[in-house]
Amino acid sequence: MTSTRSVTPVPLVRAKYETVLESWIAEQKRSATARPDLISDSDLARQSSEVLSTLLEGLDSGSLDVSGPAWEHMRAALRGISLSRVRLGFSPSETVLFILSLKEPIFDPLQELDPSNRAEAILELNKLIDRLALVTSEVYQQGREEVILRQQQEMLELSTPVVKLWQGILALPLIGTLDSERTQVVMESLLQAIVDTGSTIAIIDITGVPTVDTKVAQHLIQTVAAARLMGADCMISGIRPQIAQTIIHLGITLPDVVTKATLADAFLVALDRLGQHVVATDPVSAAGR
Amino acid sequence: MAASERVTVALRTQEDVVSLRHRVREQAVVLRFSLLDQTKIVTAASELARNAVIYGGGGEAIIETSLNNGRDGLTLTVIDHGPGIPNVEDAMRAGFSTGGGLGLGLSGTRRLVDEFELRSEVGQGTSVRIVRWK
Amino acid sequence: MDRVPIIKIGKYLLATIQTDVQDNVAVALQEDLAARIIAARARLVLLDISALQIVDSFIGRMIADISGIAKLLDAEVIVVGMQPAVAITLVELGLTLSGVRTALNVESALAMAGIRDQN
């Protein structure tokens, strides 16, 4: 790591703080990558002034090692800004350009230096800002990955709605292709819901599932067996003809598993087990159907 | 960032089986395993430890955890210096048992983990290494 | 050695396994329960395992044995409160405890056995 001390004349830059900040913000707004649709002027000004003042604070330390302790505030500021920009929908290059566009405005006060000192300071700041841009880009990447992971998790949860049909009766209507991982998540949440709600009957409805493979079929059977160990009964409804064929061809047997053609049939069986049944309140219109 | 830890637990008595379960649980919690994954690895550890105590005349267990960016996992190695298993294939078959158990021990344990490796030599002892990835 | 407490409530026995049990504690529970079933003339035994964090093949066999022994003594065992993670693991281990009755909680176990809570 570099151990050179900073040669940037911080007091000089600090004296022109307002000018630098203003021209940086103006530069950003002029740029082709400006996104007034995503960020307000006041937020932009706040983020810019945060970065600039933290940058000067870092330079004050004399250290140029952006991964070192002297630059911790800077890294934290960039992390916060990057992550907020991930959420706001900025692209990676727009986010990095935010930092890079500071170069010209911050070089401006250095005009007062004599040429040799000026070249040295510009070179140093140039390198430093590039490194900070790199930090920003890495944080942006991490932030984006976290967002994707969270969305995947949310989708998984969304796709596993355990619903209470009746006091003591749960249903899990499954829709779409089941892979081994999703099935496992779904089954765990069903079993947990059984405990949480004290339901003694659960119906897994697979009407919306086009096909199952051996692994998924095995998970289904294991779930039924696990529910039984916990003291609940599990039924499977809505098995399509193709799936029934698959199950038989795969040589999987479903011993002791109650299967019903439709969710409604399974629900009636469930009610019956709980000693309840559905009666028509108006026999005439019920008969007419 | 890589970090790993190694814990050795002696296996001589039934109490040792219980304390191994606790140690494995602790490490699985450190690795932030889901409750189900914790339960599976602790159950597997219990099966192997009991085998070592009852059939292997005691031995030891080594718990290794690795925390890194690539893959977090828990590795457990249970070693005994007992009589060894003459026919490993038979021992791995569901339903096989010499100790009056249900004969689920080894074949069942294999289903609870991601990696399973058994080495046994008659007269030398048995070593089983299992891994559960996060 | 710790022993699993067995209490008599009305016509039934309730045994609650508190924590992680050592093998010999489980074996002692078998003996204790058999003796208590006879002494109390109990027809129903609730074995509450809701606090158990794992059930391996040994404990699983113990539960199956207790159920079998009770049957011979004309009593029924209902295993109460097995946790989801424990149940999934046990099934994957290959133990389904067929023939053993189970219930979500003590309340539903009593309902299954046709006993109203005698408060």
Side-chain angles (χ1 to χ4, degrees):
Chain A
M1 212 65 233
T2 172
S3 58
T4 28
R5 306 287 297 172
S6 166
V7 295
T8 303
V10 183
L12 206 62
V13 180
R14 191 162 268 142
K16 294 214 170 170
Y17 182 88
E18 291 302 326
T19 327
V20 172
L21 183 61
E22 267 167 42
S23 66
W24 182 26
I25 292 171
E27 169 83 26
Q28 291 183 62
K29 287 188 188 166
R30 251 198 330 272
S31 147
T33 55
R35 296 297 300 266
D37 53 325
L38 295 181
I39 191 164
S40 68
D41 281 2
S42 61
D43 280 347
L44 186 67
R46 195 180 42 74
Q47 291 185 352
S48 303
S49 111
E50 184 187 1
V51 167
L52 185 57
S53 59
T54 321
L55 175 74
L56 296 178
E57 183 193 314
L59 283 167
D60 276 335
S61 75
S63 160
L64 290 171
D65 175 11
V66 296
S67 57
W71 290 88
E72 201 183 312
H73 282 163
M74 188 69 202
R75 291 196 303 274
L78 292 177
R79 192 173 306 126
I81 291 169
S82 255
L83 293 182
S84 86
R85 290 191 168 214
V86 168
R87 280 192 292 273
L88 292 170
F90 278 86
S91 76
S93 53
E94 284 160 358
T95 306
V96 172
L97 274 170
F98 162 65
I99 300 300
L100 291 178
S101 64
L102 173 59
K103 283 185 183 178
E104 277 184 42
I106 207 170
F107 294 162
D108 202 43
L110 306 179
Q111 302 301 332
E112 292 175 21
L113 296 174
D114 64 70
S116 69
N117 286 342
R118 185 168 68 213
E120 210 182 345
I122 287 181
L123 207 63
E124 175 184 303
L125 276 176
N126 194 35
K127 264 193 201 160
L128 182 69
I129 291 174
D130 282 345
R131 280 195 215 118
L132 294 176
L134 210 61
V135 170
T136 313
S137 153
E138 275 166 14
V139 174
Y140 180 93
Q141 211 62 38
Q142 282 167 12
R144 187 119 103 176
E145 274 160 25
E146 275 163 29
V147 168
I148 292 170
L149 259 175
R150 203 181 55 235
Q151 283 171 344
Q152 278 177 342
Q153 197 58 42
E154 280 167 3
M155 266 169 63
L156 213 54
E157 278 161 21
L158 271 181
S159 61
T160 60
V162 180
V163 289
K164 186 173 162 183
L165 289 184
W166 200 263
Q167 184 63 45
I169 305 173
L170 289 181
L172 176 68
L174 292 175
I175 292 163
T177 307
L178 290 176
D179 60 25
S180 177
E181 192 191 358
R182 185 179 161 219
T183 312
Q184 216 163 347
V185 172
V186 170
M187 298 311 162
E188 277 179 61
S189 57
L190 176 66
L191 296 180
Q192 191 55 52
I194 286 174
V195 176
D196 295 344
T197 61
S199 300
T200 51
I201 302 176
I203 304 165
I204 302 174
D205 182 68
I206 58 169
T207 312
V209 178
T211 56
V212 296
D213 60 19
T214 325
K215 269 229 145 132
V216 170
Q218 244 143 23
H219 279 314
L220 283 173
I221 295 161
Q222 286 181 345
T223 306
V224 175
R228 207 198 63 79
L229 283 175
M230 290 161 50
D233 282 327
C234 232
M235 290 185 255
I236 300 177
S237 67
I239 300 182
R240 290 160 167 244
Q242 302 96 300
I243 294 183
Q245 283 178 358
T246 312
I247 290 176
I248 295 304
H249 287 158
L250 290 173
I252 297 165
T253 51
L254 299 175
D256 317 319
V257 179
V258 176
T259 55
K260 288 283 149 199
T262 66
L263 180 56
D265 292 341
F267 182 51
L268 285 179
V269 173
L271 281 176
D272 189 54
R273 288 210 187 149
L274 295 180
Q276 309 197 13
H277 60 278
V278 182
V279 289
T281 52
D282 178 359
V284 179
S285 59
R289 287 213 281 154
Chain B
M1 288 264 284
S4 56
E5 203 169 326
R6 193 186 157 99
V7 179
T8 304
V9 180
L11 295 173
R12 279 180 299 268
T13 64
Q14 294 177 14
E15 283 112 81
D16 294 338
V17 176
V18 175
S19 64
L20 178 69
R21 290 203 286 253
H22 292 167
R23 301 311 295 267
V24 171
R25 169 86 61 182
E26 279 165 21
Q27 296 301 321
V29 168
V30 169
L31 288 167
R32 297 165 80 183
F33 273 26
S34 71
L35 180 61
L36 180 56
D37 285 343
Q38 288 174 30
T39 309
K40 283 182 179 172
I41 189 73
V42 173
T43 307
S46 184
E47 297 290 341
L48 298 181
R50 183 179 295 105
N51 279 348
V53 169
I54 296 178
Y55 310 119
E60 60 175 14
I62 302 151
I63 310 165
E64 287 164 290
T65 57
S66 54
L67 263 171
N68 54 56
N69 291 331
R71 226 169 172 195
D72 297 351
L74 192 152
T75 304
L76 176 75
T77 312
V78 175
I79 303 160
D80 70 52
H81 304 288
I85 302 169
N87 190 335
V88 172
E89 254 172 62
D90 275 353
M92 288 306 301
R93 232 177 27 231
F96 182 87
S97 172
T98 52
L102 282 177
L104 297 158
L106 287 177
S107 60
T109 304
R110 176 150 72 172
R111 282 194 294 273
L112 298 178
V113 294
D114 297 312
E115 289 178 26
F116 184 102
E117 195 182 284
L118 184 143
R119 287 192 191 145
S120 190
E121 218 169 301
V122 174
Q124 300 291 311
T126 303
S127 126
V128 185
R129 181 179 161 275
I130 56 174
V131 185
R132 176 98 204 167
W133 297 109
K134 193 182 167 187
Chain C
M1 184 183 80
D2 296 334
R3 288 188 108 85
V4 175
I6 303 168
I7 54 172
K8 182 171 184 286
I9 307 173
K11 295 176 201 143
Y12 66 94
L13 297 177
L14 174 65
T16 306
I17 302 183
Q18 306 284 0
T19 49
D20 199 349
V21 281
Q22 215 170 291
D23 292 355
N24 56 2
V25 177
V27 173
L29 175 63
Q30 260 177 29
E31 291 161 10
D32 290 353
L33 263 181
R36 289 291 295 273
I37 288 171
I38 298 296
R41 297 179 180 221
R43 302 290 308 274
L44 177 67
V45 176
L46 304 188
L47 183 57
D48 186 346
I49 61 164
S50 54
L52 262 191
Q53 288 187 314
I54 71 146
V55 173
D56 60 11
S57 61
F58 186 88
I59 303 293
R61 185 181 55 164
M62 183 271 298
I63 292 171
D65 285 356
I66 285 177
S67 172
I69 292 165
K71 264 190 201 119
L72 291 176
L73 300 175
D74 197 22
E76 184 170 43
V77 172
I78 301 181
V79 174
V80 174
M82 188 185 292
Q83 295 298 319
V86 173
I88 295 172
T89 304
L90 204 50
V91 169
E92 240 170 89
L93 200 56
L95 263 172
T96 50
L97 301 183
S98 49
V100 176
R101 289 190 86 184
T102 54
L104 280 180
N105 46 46
V106 171
E107 196 186 356
S108 60
L110 293 179
M112 272 167 65
I115 297 177
R116 303 245 171 269
D117 231 340
Q118 303 148 327
N119 286 329

